[in-house]
Amino acid sequence: MVKLTIDGRECRAEEEKTILEVASENGIHIPTLCYHEEVSPYGACRLCMVEVTRKGRKRLVASCLYPVAEGLVVRTETPEVNNIRRTVIELLLARCPDSEVVQEMAHSLGVDKPIFSLEKDNHKCILCALCTRACQEVVGVSAITLVNRGVDRQMATPFYDFSEVCIGCGSCSFVCPTRAISFEDVGDTRVITMPHVTMEFKLKKCSKCGKYWAPERQLEYIAKTAGIDPEAFDICPDCRD
């Protein structure tokens, strides 16, 4: 365990934890859009920048990536930190002007209108890579990824087409902070809509109640990876209770 100070409050934390984790555990809010506790930190949005002082040296760092240390002094609200956050949210607002989430965060940071030229056709995607990390690290299939470089960077499936390894679980939609990915179950089909592709998946029908309840691809994947008899998914969870 180490002792550090965040906004004048003394905190104790395990050495491997990051500033963002420790701040959250102690009820100290640091804005972020690209962080989720279930996947590895990425440092994409840069909204979580804070000022740290260690051994007399001050630095601005991304709190989701910076590990805590003995005697570390952290300030989450300084003029420099707030200027960086406003600049970042202005860029995100220009990139995704139609995103309600980005609009709300911008307003909370004192930004109502972007000073940069508005971009088009970014479909609310801020390139946080939460979807790709969840798909790879949690689901384990890597059906989507970030492609291209620089201003042409995008989140996409292979060849911008139906991903043959996608199981239709919808995890990417659940973790997307700006709702750039969505899914809807319509009848016997799940429709997942991403910025550059729409995919459809056949749903499994419960043999007992007749309800369509999960993508067949997802259930086949679970049965294979967990060594479960596929027939175990003939009945939906509600009918098993």
Side-chain angles (χ1 to χ4, degrees):
M1 300 288 286
V2 299
K3 291 183 181 180
L4 68 153
T5 302
I6 305 179
D7 290 343
R9 185 188 306 179
E10 187 175 283
C11 305
R12 295 179 62 87
E14 300 173 4
E15 291 187 27
E16 67 271 15
K17 291 198 172 182
T18 64
I19 292 173
L20 182 61
E21 290 175 313
V22 177
S24 179
E25 291 171 358
N26 287 273
I28 301 171
H29 175 68
I30 298 176
T32 179
L33 284 173
C34 72
Y35 175 80
H36 193 285
E37 62 272 14
E38 294 300 323
V39 298
S40 59
Y42 191 65
C45 73
R46 280 328 202 220
L47 285 167
C48 72
M49 296 294 286
V50 296
E51 179 190 276
V52 299
T53 302
R54 187 178 184 186
K55 298 180 180 179
R57 182 186 177 189
K58 290 185 179 181
R59 297 176 58 193
L60 294 175
V61 301
S63 61
C64 68
L65 296 172
Y66 199 87
V68 297
E70 184 67 34
L72 189 69
V73 177
V74 182
R75 297 175 65 193
T76 66
E77 296 281 347
T78 70
E80 293 81 4
V81 167
N82 289 332
N83 283 337
I84 289 176
R85 288 179 185 163
R86 280 193 290 268
T87 300
V88 168
I89 202 65
E90 284 171 349
L91 288 167
L92 292 177
L93 191 58
R95 175 180 172 82
C96 303
D98 297 329
S99 170
E100 296 83 357
V101 174
V102 174
Q103 291 172 7
E104 290 173 5
M105 183 166 284
H107 182 71
S108 70
L109 293 173
V111 176
D112 293 317
K113 295 181 180 179
I115 62 174
F116 303 103
S117 300
L118 301 183
E119 297 184 29
K120 297 181 180 180
D121 302 326
N122 281 308
H123 309 278
K124 301 182 180 181
C125 179
I126 61 170
L127 299 177
C128 68
L130 266 177
C131 58
T132 65
R133 284 176 282 154
C135 189
Q136 179 181 5
E137 299 173 19
V138 180
V139 183
V141 298
S142 298
I144 49 180
T145 188
L146 295 182
V147 300
N148 303 325
R149 297 180 179 180
V151 296
D152 295 323
R153 194 76 159 160
Q154 294 177 335
M155 182 280 289
T157 55
F159 305 104
Y160 297 89
D161 203 351
F162 184 89
S163 176
E164 293 297 333
V165 296
C166 182
I167 60 176
C169 64
S171 296
C172 53
S173 176
F174 284 116
V175 300
C176 180
T178 60
R179 306 187 187 102
I181 304 174
S182 63
F183 78 85
E184 181 181 14
D185 291 344
V186 182
D188 64 350
T189 303
R190 170 167 292 181
V191 181
I192 297 181
T193 304
M194 297 182 179
H196 303 288
V197 66
T198 297
M199 298 185 290
E200 296 185 354
F201 301 86
K202 185 178 180 181
L203 296 173
K204 181 77 172 181
K205 185 177 182 180
C206 175
S207 61
K208 189 171 183 179
C209 69
K211 179 178 69 176
Y212 292 99
W213 62 282
E216 291 183 348
R217 276 175 169 254
Q218 181 181 0
L219 299 178
E220 291 169 359
Y221 176 78
I222 294 173
K224 181 179 179 180
T225 55
I228 300 174
D229 187 342
E231 293 184 358
F233 298 112
D234 288 344
I235 300 177
C236 71
D238 291 339
C239 291
R240 288 198 293 267
D241 293 340

